[in-house]
Amino acid sequence: MTTNSQIRQNFIQGMSGISQFWGFPKAMGAIFGALYLSATPLSLDELVENTGLTKGAISTNVRTLTRMGLIHPVTRMADRKDYYEAETDFYKSVQTILKGRQNNEFDRAINSVKETLASLEAGEGSFDKKERAFLIERLKALQDFFDAIDNVTRAISKLNSLGINTVQSVIKILK
Amino acid sequence: MTTNSQIRQNFIQGMSGISQFWGFPKAMGAIFGALYLSATPLSLDELVENTGLTKGAISTNVRTLTRMGLIHPVTRMADRKDYYEAETDFYKSVQTILKGRQNNEFDRAINSVKETLASLEAGEGSFDKKERAFLIERLKALQDFFDAIDNVTRAISKLNSLGINTVQSVIKILK
DNA sequence: TAGAATGTTTAGTATTTACTAAACGAATTA
DNA sequence: TAATTCGTTTAGTAAATACTAAACATTCTA
């Protein structure tokens, strides 16, 4: 016989795995899983109970989940506890995540390519004509690729504001 | 004054960072960077020289880079050495990477959701009618989201076979 | 103001990861 | 077969990561 708690635990464990697969802490997945299966917002202590993690772990992971827009804090008047609920519009979350990633590290990374390219175009180094041309060509191609990724992420960010029908039609074009 | 080797090193370091940002070993980025700046395929020993890594590290990372389709082995007749060159069609690489990811872990992850959903729909557990309906609804939404991701990755995989014009036009729709 | 309830931060730890160094194996040549 | 040349695998290590346990800070309540 399968108990309610077993079903919940199984799901929570599954979400841990998914979280890990995408390079996030397992705890993040577990917390999200617990919240996602709850019809009402859960407090930090309830999350401790549901996931088996400690307060500290919950506290830090809840923060990053909130930053990612995957969960939302819910404050109740005359109740000092913080409650959290899962975002159910995943596209909205994806948008938030991409936006965050973009501004932080990604630009920095792209920049290093840009710098190298600039060095070369400024005539730095002692490459002969042919080699310099080759390197510039390659770096330009790489930068184009990064720009394309940039466009795609921007596009995905837009998906949320468009109707789901637009999304479907785009997908159809690509199929 | 900026030497040739400094420019190369700067770029290789930049690629290390990008690699790390995307959750891959720094060495992978460095190796790819070295190959990408070379007009001719490089041997394992030449990679050791260019990146400062050891043979072992090169050996293992070259293998995964090859699996990802980011570089290609080049064998020369009457030469026992393995050479490698960078793939310059990044869309092709993306396609390979997505294909690989999909079949391995991602499906497994999605499956855990499917299982939980099946349990619930089979009437397992002792949830009251309302709660069961709620849980089923949420899990279905999650599965829809995963399916959508699946479609997107399939679509991106297709990008390579489509002309770049199609890609541009799709992006324009979304802008 | 003392005490309780709640969330955060910190210090320490266990695990994972990515690398190095070196042994190993396989294939080629002498 | 011995010696050489490659690439792979393995054992060990250093560093990063994610967690626990517990101290701490803050806010509310008695």
Side-chain angles (χ1 to χ4, degrees):
Chain A
M1 136 149 201
T2 318
T3 69
N4 293 4
S5 138
Q6 276 170 345
I7 291 179
R8 279 210 153 74
Q9 287 311 312
N10 177 61
F11 177 74
I12 288 174
Q13 201 175 316
M15 294 302 287
S16 289
I18 293 176
S19 179
Q20 184 162 258
F21 171 62
W22 283 342
F24 302 111
K26 281 189 300 178
M28 270 188 43
I31 294 169
F32 179 83
L35 291 176
Y36 192 70
L37 290 190
S38 171
T40 59
L42 298 180
S43 72
L44 195 143
D45 281 325
E46 286 168 322
L47 282 171
V48 168
E49 202 180 323
N50 273 273
T51 61
L53 299 164
T54 57
K55 278 201 302 174
I58 305 273
S59 175
T60 61
N61 282 295
V62 141
R63 204 183 314 151
T64 71
L65 277 168
T66 301
R67 268 205 309 266
M68 289 173 134
L70 277 164
I71 68 175
H72 301 291
V74 176
T75 47
R76 289 175 178 159
M77 59 181 191
D79 188 342
R80 202 144 57 80
K81 277 197 190 116
D82 295 342
Y83 294 86
Y84 297 92
E85 67 183 1
E87 168 66 62
T88 54
D89 183 342
F90 301 113
Y91 297 98
K92 207 181 275 179
S93 303
V94 168
Q95 185 180 8
T96 308
I97 294 169
L98 289 178
K99 214 182 284 170
R101 287 224 165 174
Q102 214 158 307
N103 299 337
N104 297 347
E105 298 291 330
F106 191 67
D107 284 352
R108 227 178 63 85
I110 290 185
N111 227 38
S112 91
V113 178
K114 213 168 282 186
E115 272 173 31
T116 310
L117 186 52
S119 296
L120 284 168
E121 286 180 331
E124 289 180 25
S126 57
F127 301 98
D128 67 40
K129 218 171 197 172
K130 208 160 187 175
E131 191 175 10
R132 187 180 302 277
F134 166 79
L135 292 172
I136 288 177
E137 184 206 358
R138 288 240 156 157
L139 290 176
K140 272 192 177 152
L142 187 58
Q143 201 175 337
D144 284 349
F145 178 66
F146 284 150
D147 285 346
I149 290 182
D150 202 50
N151 281 329
V152 169
T153 56
R154 274 186 223 287
I156 292 177
S157 289
K158 274 274 170 175
L159 288 185
N160 183 51
S161 55
L162 304 169
I164 190 71
N165 292 332
T166 313
V167 179
Q168 306 278 20
S169 69
V170 169
I171 288 175
K172 205 182 285 173
I173 293 177
L174 294 175
K175 250 182 193 157
Chain B
M1 139 150 201
T2 318
T3 69
N4 293 3
S5 137
Q6 277 171 345
I7 292 178
R8 280 209 153 76
Q9 287 312 311
N10 177 61
F11 177 75
I12 289 174
Q13 201 175 315
M15 294 302 287
S16 289
I18 293 175
S19 180
Q20 184 163 256
F21 170 63
W22 283 341
F24 302 110
K26 281 188 300 177
M28 270 188 43
I31 293 168
F32 179 82
L35 291 176
Y36 191 70
L37 290 191
S38 172
T40 58
L42 297 180
S43 71
L44 196 143
D45 280 324
E46 286 168 323
L47 282 171
V48 168
E49 203 180 321
N50 274 273
T51 61
L53 300 163
T54 58
K55 277 201 304 174
I58 305 273
S59 175
T60 61
N61 282 295
V62 141
R63 203 184 313 150
T64 71
L65 277 168
T66 301
R67 269 206 309 268
M68 290 174 132
L70 278 163
I71 67 176
H72 301 290
V74 177
T75 47
R76 288 174 177 160
M77 59 181 190
D79 188 344
R80 201 143 59 80
K81 277 197 190 116
D82 297 341
Y83 295 86
Y84 298 92
E85 65 183 2
E87 169 66 61
T88 54
D89 183 342
F90 301 114
Y91 296 99
K92 207 182 275 179
S93 303
V94 168
Q95 185 182 8
T96 308
I97 293 169
L98 290 177
K99 214 183 284 170
R101 285 225 164 171
Q102 216 157 306
N103 301 334
N104 297 347
E105 298 290 329
F106 191 67
D107 284 353
R108 226 178 64 84
I110 290 183
N111 226 38
S112 91
V113 178
K114 213 169 282 185
E115 272 173 32
T116 310
L117 186 53
S119 297
L120 284 168
E121 286 180 329
E124 288 179 27
S126 56
F127 301 97
D128 67 38
K129 217 173 198 168
K130 208 161 187 171
E131 192 176 10
R132 187 181 301 276
F134 165 79
L135 292 172
I136 288 177
E137 185 206 358
R138 288 240 157 159
L139 289 176
K140 271 190 178 153
L142 187 58
Q143 201 175 337
D144 283 350
F145 178 67
F146 284 150
D147 285 346
I149 290 181
D150 202 48
N151 281 330
V152 169
T153 56
R154 273 185 224 287
I156 292 178
S157 289
K158 277 273 171 177
L159 288 186
N160 183 51
S161 56
L162 302 169
I164 191 69
N165 293 332
T166 314
V167 178
Q168 305 280 19
S169 70
V170 168
I171 288 175
K172 206 183 285 175
I173 293 178
L174 294 175
K175 250 182 193 158

